[in-house]
Amino acid sequence: MNDDSLQEPVTQAGRELDVHLIHSEKMASIGQLAAGVAHEINNPVGYVFSNLKIMAKYIRDMQTIIDTIDTSASLDEVKAVKRNIDYDYIKQDLEDMLGESVYGVETIIGIVSALKDFSYDDGDEFKEVDLYKGLNSTLSVVNNEIKYKAEVVKQFSDLPLVECIPSKINQVFMNLLVNAAHAIEDSGVITLTTGVDGDRVWFEVADDGVGMDEATLSRIYEPFFTTKPPGQGTGLGLAICYSILKKHDATLEVVSEPGVGTTFKIYLPIKRKTSVT
Ligand SMILES: Nc1ncnc2c1ncn2[C@@H]1O[C@H](COP(=O)(O)OP(=O)(O)OP(=O)(O)O)[C@@H](O)[C@H]1O
Ligand SMILES: [Mg+2]
């Protein structure tokens, strides 16, 4: 077991490099997000589109029945057309398809609004926010990376509003969640636990994935350190988390054991220590 409290990353990085890294990470995340969001939206768009085509046909059939009222000599003739078209089936199917399509569009609206929350550029402004709002929108955004591999268990307690830079904290959530998902090979559990400890809140991301050995653990905050195959990881995720959390006077602890899993725990001050107000 290892307990590695937040340390200076093993790097020559000064403030300027930190800023540069945050930008590179943003670029890397945008690609990752774009792929995930495209995948998430593709499914509802697919069935709403195919429903629309079938519903268009049903509507034409119904128009035929209604138009027959004007052209037919008797009510029996209208009834025959109605039966022929299988009105009862169409009526039910139309209702099901409308319900399904509304659900699909709602799903898309949810993804888009999560993305807006997530990407809202709030500059470097500290604000009092509900951490769960950011966490849930981040979860919807990275859902695609997680859902096939891991069950997400939430053990949330009541948290006060926390003074932080929300978009940056979302970025930390995202990196930890994606790392946890990547650490799980086939299927596993990611447990998110929160709590309050004096004047700080804490937030834990635990996975039952591959874990890390000593050698890996000692380098995780190093920019560009990655154990992922070329092209799959920039190795910037945790370096960025480090720099964001440092700005928040937060601390980050990690406990990991090969073959058992990894737990990252963040302690975040509820109020800014260096508050200017
Ligand atoms: N939850 C975890 N379980 C096991 N190993 C982890 C976990 N989180 C991080 N690591 C290790 O730390 C390394 C560095 O993580 P970091 O997030 O900085 O970069 P990355 O995930 O490799 O790439 P990127 O985040 O840029 O896509 C990872 O390559 C992996 O070896
Ligand atoms: Mg990562």
Side-chain angles (χ1 to χ4, degrees):
M1 281 268 183
N2 264 293
D3 187 340
D4 187 5
S5 287
L6 193 60
Q7 311 161 336
E8 284 295 326
V10 190
T11 170
Q12 302 294 318
R15 284 229 149 258
E16 272 178 38
L17 183 53
D18 279 354
V19 172
H20 169 75
L21 286 175
I22 289 169
H23 287 157
S24 316
E25 168 72 0
K26 255 199 160 154
M27 304 278 290
S29 331
I30 286 165
Q32 199 174 31
L33 284 185
V37 167
H39 183 99
E40 289 287 293
I41 288 183
N42 206 28
N43 184 31
V45 163
Y47 65 73
V48 169
F49 185 56
S50 98
N51 282 358
L52 275 175
K53 286 199 280 195
I54 300 170
M55 287 193 289
K57 182 187 171 298
Y58 287 168
I59 289 168
R60 281 194 298 274
D61 287 345
M62 286 176 141
Q63 284 168 337
T64 307
I65 299 170
I66 295 166
D67 290 346
T68 316
I69 297 172
D70 292 331
T71 55
S72 63
S74 71
L75 194 56
D76 282 344
E77 212 176 300
V78 180
K79 284 183 177 167
V81 172
K82 191 176 156 193
R83 254 195 321 276
N84 228 13
I85 281 176
D86 207 353
Y87 174 76
D88 288 341
Y89 174 81
I90 287 180
K91 194 175 148 191
Q92 184 57 50
D93 210 27
L94 203 53
E95 208 157 288
D96 294 346
M97 284 190 170
L98 273 172
E100 199 183 72
S101 304
V102 167
Y103 176 78
V105 171
E106 278 170 358
T107 307
I108 297 167
I109 291 171
I111 295 165
V112 170
S113 101
L115 205 58
K116 266 174 35 202
D117 281 353
F118 184 82
S119 60
Y120 178 60
D121 188 5
D122 44 18
D124 272 359
E125 249 185 77
F126 275 79
K127 284 183 200 150
E128 281 202 325
V129 293
D130 173 2
L131 282 186
Y132 289 134
K133 209 172 158 233
L135 183 58
N136 284 326
S137 61
T138 306
L139 268 172
S140 339
V141 168
V142 296
N143 189 33
N144 184 51
E145 299 265 352
I146 297 177
K147 68 180 175 196
Y148 299 111
K149 285 180 159 184
E151 183 198 347
V152 177
V153 175
K154 296 178 184 173
Q155 297 175 332
F156 289 173
S157 32
D158 279 346
L159 290 186
L161 295 181
V162 174
E163 209 177 347
C164 65
I165 307 172
S167 64
K168 299 285 185 281
I169 295 298
N170 286 351
Q171 216 176 333
V172 172
F173 288 151
M174 184 182 88
N175 284 322
L176 295 182
L177 286 165
V178 170
N179 280 350
H182 285 168
I184 292 169
E185 275 168 342
D186 296 317
S187 75
V189 180
I190 297 173
T191 310
L192 308 177
T193 315
T194 61
V196 182
D197 181 3
D199 56 359
R200 300 181 302 171
V201 295
W202 56 268
F203 170 78
E204 216 175 70
V205 181
D207 66 68
D208 56 359
V210 292
M212 288 175 268
D213 59 18
E214 282 281 349
T216 302
L217 258 182
S218 65
R219 299 189 62 191
I220 52 174
Y221 299 117
E222 213 174 292
F224 304 107
F225 170 76
T226 181
T227 56
K228 293 173 185 167
Q232 283 189 28
T234 63
L236 289 175
L238 289 175
I240 299 307
C241 289
Y242 173 87
S243 104
I244 291 172
L245 292 174
K246 191 170 172 194
K247 191 166 183 172
H248 284 81
D249 282 318
T251 54
L252 178 60
E253 292 172 6
V254 54
V255 178
S256 188
E257 197 174 324
V260 176
T262 302
T263 300
F264 279 93
K265 186 169 185 176
I266 299 166
Y267 285 94
L268 198 58
I270 296 168
K271 291 267 171 228
R272 258 180 108 184
K273 279 190 196 136
T274 50
S275 185
V276 278
T277 50

